[in-house]
Amino acid sequence: MRIPAPLLETYVAEIFKGAGCPDDESDRIAFYLVRANLAGHDSHGVIRVPRYLSWMEIGSVKAGVQPNVVSEGPTHAVVDGCFGFGQSIGPFCADIGIAKAEEHGLSIVAIRNSGHLGRIGDWPERAADAGIASLHFVNTSGLGLLVAPYGSPDRRFSTNPFAAGVPIPGEEPLILDFATSVVAEGKVLVAHQGGKPLPDGALISADGEFSTNPELIYGVGTAANPNDMRGGGGAIRAMGEHKGSGLAFLCEVLAGALTGSGCATPEQSNLANGMLSFYFRPDLLGSENEFAAEMERYLAFFRTARPLDGTDRVMIPGEPENRSRADRLANGIPLTDTTWESICSAGDNYGVRAPALVSEAIAS
């Protein structure tokens, strides 16, 4: 089925309000989850509603939390998210970094102990909209221990995203956002719920065999085990063999150890995101006109690259998300029946009825 984005966003916001989140935070959570779906990153979209609610119920993430600025100077800030929702901590910290970069040319912001920060590409997009370039390194301590390093079947990393954004005069901003694993954990969840299947070799069993079976991560689901306990004995593989494994390790160091959020740790029930972000004004490094002219020249050259058979066109980072956003705003957000039913069940738990979809949802 395809569900109109405004209807889905309103419904998700009402569920979080029913669960006890403040109205403004509920609206932010819904906005960023639906925004991830619009960008084509269903792994970080509304599929996460039941999981977020279960975390809130057991106290792993806390509603209505005010972030604590631990230390601050003209060009830096260290912020403790106090296990609040990442959809509140993320924009709060991004705006600190943007404001400092606007005034001083550059800034560094360290986040520790945030709830799940969602699609990390949201934060370089927010900065680029303000004319600021940025780099973001992320890790997850505790519950996020899911990824095997190169040469091992054992979990030693989280999916450790990296993201970057650069505003380009006269163009959509360049936005790069990826997990340092072959796939993000949420994409394993999407596959498990009947969505897009995993690429070959995305997972590895405890015996070292490559696989695409999501039960290697979640175990076999039952009513008592809702596939959120990471009960399988396998792992997600690091992307790019030793290169991706090295980048994942760097994310543990920068986003975990340096921020004070902590590196991946076994036998922890809480999920805490750490993020180290660098913000800077492009004009700090030279003429804005020279930068615009060089980007215009290079993009024209890049776009002459011949696509391989079966490839529509060679795209710059951020272009697939822009295409998805245009399609899904026009035609609705596709959800599997399993995902929709899990959201509706979560809503029922808080007395929030699902919207009627007879005239608004389009069967796929």
Side-chain angles (χ1 to χ4, degrees):
M1 66 176 68
R2 283 182 174 260
I3 301 178
L7 183 147
L8 185 59
E9 185 176 331
T10 298
Y11 178 43
V12 170
E14 290 303 312
I15 292 174
F16 280 95
K17 291 171 187 176
C21 281
D23 287 358
D24 58 345
E25 183 164 69
S26 298
D27 291 340
R28 276 195 301 274
I29 294 169
F31 171 78
Y32 282 114
L33 291 180
V34 170
R35 182 178 169 90
N37 285 110
L38 288 173
H41 293 273
D42 296 326
S43 58
H44 288 68
V46 297
I47 195 171
R48 292 185 176 265
V49 168
R51 182 177 291 180
Y52 279 13
L53 292 168
S54 68
W55 286 344
M56 190 172 73
E57 287 171 0
I58 63 176
S60 292
V61 65
K62 304 180 188 303
V65 165
Q66 179 65 31
N68 176 32
V69 180
V70 177
S71 67
E72 187 175 15
T75 59
H76 89 281
V78 178
V79 181
D80 193 323
C82 302
F83 299 98
F85 276 98
Q87 288 76 15
S88 293
I89 310 303
F92 175 87
C93 293
D95 288 348
I96 290 176
I98 291 165
K100 290 181 182 297
E102 287 176 333
E103 182 174 359
H104 301 287
L106 51 81
S107 65
I108 300 174
V109 177
I111 302 176
R112 62 177 65 155
N113 301 326
S114 173
H116 188 253
L117 283 162
R119 173 182 167 251
I120 303 305
D122 283 324
W123 317 130
E125 284 178 351
R126 191 177 184 93
D129 287 344
I132 300 296
S134 61
L135 302 170
H136 308 262
F137 299 86
V138 183
N139 92 316
T140 307
S141 60
L143 194 60
L145 191 61
L146 290 166
V147 179
Y150 175 65
S152 174
D154 298 330
R155 301 181 184 188
R156 291 296 182 270
F157 302 137
S158 69
T159 56
N160 291 7
F162 168 81
V166 182
I168 301 176
E171 297 272 351
E172 293 293 327
L174 184 156
I175 303 294
L176 183 64
D177 173 21
F178 58 85
T180 53
S181 49
V182 173
V183 291
E185 182 268 334
K187 287 182 169 54
V188 186
L189 183 61
V190 169
H192 191 271
Q193 294 193 358
K196 184 178 179 180
L198 298 174
D200 290 343
L203 310 180
I204 186 170
S205 72
D207 296 326
E209 298 294 325
F210 293 173
S211 177
T212 59
N213 183 1
E215 289 182 356
L216 283 175
I217 303 301
Y218 300 113
V220 180
T222 66
N225 173 15
N227 298 301
D228 189 28
M229 303 306 292
R230 277 60 164 191
I236 307 172
R237 296 177 60 224
M239 72 166 199
E241 307 298 345
H242 62 285
K243 297 178 182 178
S245 190
L247 183 55
F249 195 99
L250 183 64
C251 287
E252 291 287 350
V253 174
L254 296 180
L258 276 178
T259 65
S261 197
C263 298
T265 306
E267 300 177 0
Q268 297 260 343
S269 59
N270 276 13
L271 182 148
N273 273 162
M275 182 164 76
L276 188 64
S277 300
F278 301 83
Y279 300 87
F280 63 95
R281 290 200 324 259
D283 67 353
L284 189 69
L285 304 178
S287 164
E288 185 174 351
N289 290 337
E290 290 176 356
F291 173 66
E294 179 59 14
M295 287 307 306
E296 182 179 8
R297 182 205 66 78
Y298 180 66
L299 288 173
F301 168 64
F302 181 89
R303 286 168 173 154
T304 63
R306 293 174 297 136
L308 293 170
D309 290 343
T311 302
D312 177 29
R313 60 182 292 185
V314 180
M315 292 187 278
I316 66 172
E319 195 170 352
E321 288 82 356
N322 293 335
R323 282 186 159 195
S324 174
R325 194 173 291 115
D327 169 65
R328 293 182 174 195
L329 281 172
N331 300 310
I333 292 172
L335 297 179
T336 67
D337 290 344
T338 300
T339 298
W340 177 244
E341 289 165 6
S342 70
I343 295 169
C344 293
S345 177
D348 289 343
N349 290 339
Y350 297 102
V352 180
R353 296 185 61 183
L357 300 178
V358 174
S359 62
E360 297 180 84
I362 305 169
S364 57

